[in-house]
Amino acid sequence: MIEIPTDLPADLVPLSWLVGVWEGTGVIDYEAEGRAFSGEFAHRVSFSHDGGAFLNYSADAWLLDGEERRPLVSEIGYWRLARPVGEADAGPGLLPATQPPVARTADDVEALRNADGGFDIEVSLAHADGILELYVGQVKGPRIDLATDAVVRTAGAKHYAAATRLYGLVDNHLLWAWDIAALGRELASHASARLARAE
């Protein structure tokens, strides 16, 4: 059974079912540059909040090779509802808000509902291997669809051009699938996992 935290800011209620730590395994299946990449991996994902109008995100994965666990990706980021920021919001950088904070209500959030009946969201992720992604998409009940709006790579990072991610809550498990366009290949299935709530 999923328990929804009661201390969330109103902006986080549509994403509330994600809050917690999730662990499980998944499979990699991707071909590029004449090579096949496949295998099973362990995955740990954490969604938390600190009172702001966003979820903190971190994820780590390890390739399972018998008893050995080899590190794969490590990523951190932020998930939030897409909404215009105003004078009561801080930023950019360390600039403080120029108006007093305004407590947002459930009605304020409901006004953000899109024509499809969901809520538009923005996700920014930084990978330890020098890749940064900005995703846009929507949360609609227990399903999230995301697609990259921008990808930035450091000079030394491997080629990575675009991605989509799908998250869903099914039988109290977090299921996800990640398609990527990398190493010269067009967008294709890359990995998927089934995670159970650990904390």
Side-chain angles (χ1 to χ4, degrees):
M1 181 175 168
I2 299 296
E3 292 184 25
I4 304 298
T6 58
D7 61 341
L8 289 176
D11 282 342
L12 295 184
V13 171
L15 297 168
S16 60
W17 56 272
L18 290 168
V19 174
V21 175
W22 302 83
E23 294 180 341
T25 59
V27 293
I28 303 163
D29 186 13
Y30 193 71
E31 291 186 22
E33 298 180 334
R35 297 179 53 195
F37 301 88
S38 62
E40 185 178 10
F41 65 95
H43 200 46
R44 179 179 171 90
V45 175
S46 172
F47 291 93
S48 63
H49 71 96
D50 57 13
F54 54 87
L55 290 180
N56 301 302
Y57 167 85
S58 66
D60 294 286
W62 302 266
L63 186 65
L64 299 175
D65 187 5
E67 295 296 314
E68 186 180 350
R69 289 167 55 120
R70 294 187 319 207
L72 290 170
V73 72
S74 181
E75 54 187 16
I76 59 171
Y78 303 96
W79 294 52
R80 67 184 200 130
L81 289 188
R83 69 168 177 85
V85 294
E87 298 300 319
D89 296 296
L94 295 177
L95 299 178
T98 57
Q99 296 290 324
V102 176
R104 291 179 49 77
T105 67
D107 289 338
D108 295 330
V109 173
E110 190 59 31
L112 298 174
R113 196 174 289 274
N114 62 31
D116 196 32
F119 296 92
D120 295 329
I121 62 173
E122 301 166 346
V123 176
S124 55
L125 300 180
H127 300 234
D129 59 1
I131 293 171
L132 301 147
E133 299 173 288
L134 174 61
Y135 285 93
V136 294
Q138 84 165 349
V139 55
K140 187 174 181 183
R143 178 183 169 126
I144 297 172
D145 293 277
L146 299 171
T148 49
D149 187 50
V151 173
V152 177
R153 297 179 289 124
T154 61
K158 293 181 180 179
H159 179 265
Y160 183 90
T164 62
R165 296 189 190 206
L166 169 67
Y167 294 81
L169 185 63
V170 179
D171 294 329
N172 291 327
H173 284 80
L174 179 62
L175 277 60
W176 66 258
W178 186 4
D179 294 355
I180 63 173
L183 305 178
R185 184 170 178 189
E186 296 294 319
L187 193 66
S189 178
H190 159 252
S192 60
R194 180 182 181 97
L195 310 177
R197 188 179 293 278
E199 296 175 23

